[in-house]
Amino acid sequence: MAPYHIRKYQENDRKWVTDLFSEAMAEHIPTTFCHILKLPQTLVLLLGGPLALILVSGSWVLAFVSSLALLAALRFLAEYPWKQYVVMSLHTDMSDITKSYLSESGSCFWVAESKGQVVGIVGALPVKKPTLQKTQLELLHLCVTPEHRGQGIAKALVRTVLTFAREQGYGEVVLTTSILQHSAVALYQRLGFQKTSQLFLFTSWRLISFSQIQFTYCLPSAQVSQALEQGGSLRSV
């Protein structure tokens, strides 16, 4: 297990960060493709479409070509959400990470470094909604390179965000992940995040039943934390 340390993002990390993020999102495409193939409507198309063509035209070749075209279209649907998210992120908050995350005290972006390479990333931005009763910090872009997974890096990055949120006086940490990111969902639940809702970020994602899960981690208020600390001190006396 290679040693690593977590530090704030620096401008010379940019290529490492954007490459890691893009590659991590692309990893989910095969899982999404398998998810689409298992949908009832997909099975109907894959089985019923070619069969209908054979009955109408009598051509097995035409049925075979149509099956290949349908699989190519389904592959495109599997790639679309992830590529769309990468493009959107690289043109918004990740277009200038220093400006987006490090220009104000209430936000930050961290990298996990091992042997001079960036092997993990995570960002945190305040949720700006005037109707919120509690101030919220949003955890974003948690990624770890495949060869460095299983070493606790993702857990350490999430805990870094939670510690930062507590120090900055936030009431909650929120995040959104997809139903297909099973390891991420399990990690958040182990760390104490609670599922609050499930939704489709884009209407087009309904076509492939690609929903997103929203999680919330409630942080104790400064008064509660102080009371807990005092209680612990009294019990230790």
Side-chain angles (χ1 to χ4, degrees):
M1 183 183 295
Y4 67 89
H5 69 279
I6 296 173
R7 59 170 175 79
K8 287 186 179 180
Y9 169 86
Q10 299 171 2
E11 198 56 42
N12 58 3
D13 297 323
R14 176 167 177 77
K15 189 176 187 325
W16 287 104
V17 169
T18 54
D19 286 351
L20 193 163
F21 172 65
S22 300
E23 291 167 7
M25 295 303 100
E27 286 180 37
H28 300 300
I29 293 174
T31 303
T32 307
F33 185 51
C34 290
H35 164 75
I36 293 173
L37 291 177
K38 294 176 183 177
L39 295 175
Q41 57 267 37
T42 303
L43 294 175
V44 170
L45 282 173
L46 286 174
L47 298 175
L51 181 59
L53 281 174
I54 292 173
L55 293 175
V56 172
S57 66
S59 172
W60 286 89
V61 174
L62 182 59
F64 178 71
V65 171
S66 68
S67 296
L68 291 180
L70 180 56
L71 286 172
L74 294 174
R75 176 72 181 187
F76 172 79
L77 284 176
E79 294 175 353
Y80 181 72
W82 302 107
K83 290 186 175 181
Q84 183 185 32
Y85 178 58
V86 169
V87 170
M88 180 182 69
S89 297
L90 295 180
H91 283 81
T92 53
D93 62 300
M94 294 188 76
S95 64
D96 188 338
I97 296 174
T98 300
K99 181 179 179 181
S100 299
Y101 290 89
L102 301 173
S103 60
E104 297 181 5
S105 59
S107 57
C108 198
F109 198 99
W110 298 267
V111 302
E113 184 179 354
S114 177
K115 296 183 178 180
Q117 298 182 354
V118 172
V119 298
I121 61 172
V122 72
L125 288 173
V127 177
K128 297 179 180 178
K129 290 183 180 179
T131 57
L132 289 176
Q133 294 182 346
K134 290 185 178 181
T135 54
Q136 293 182 334
L137 184 71
E138 184 174 12
L139 184 152
L140 296 158
H141 309 313
L142 177 66
C143 301
V144 176
T145 57
E147 58 270 24
H148 289 86
R149 291 171 192 166
Q151 301 180 22
I153 296 176
K155 183 188 295 185
L157 287 167
V158 174
R159 285 178 171 167
T160 298
V161 174
L162 296 178
T163 299
F164 175 80
R166 191 174 291 109
E167 291 173 348
Q168 293 291 319
Y170 285 99
E172 296 175 340
V173 175
V174 298
L175 63 90
T176 302
T177 190
S178 82
I179 58 168
L180 301 180
Q181 292 173 269
H182 305 297
S183 58
V185 170
L187 170 65
Y188 298 136
Q189 291 177 328
R190 285 198 305 270
L191 290 174
F193 283 82
Q194 300 296 317
K195 179 181 175 181
T196 53
S197 63
Q198 189 165 331
L199 71 160
F200 295 97
L201 292 184
F202 301 97
T203 304
S204 59
W205 291 9
R206 289 181 179 272
L207 296 173
I208 56 174
S209 299
F210 185 73
S211 62
Q212 309 294 300
I213 304 173
Q214 293 186 327
F215 283 100
T216 299
Y217 185 98
C218 294
L219 294 160
S221 64
Q223 292 84 354
V224 172
S225 297
Q226 186 176 4
L228 290 172
E229 290 176 2
Q230 289 176 348
S233 299
L234 289 172
R235 285 192 294 270
S236 63
V237 174

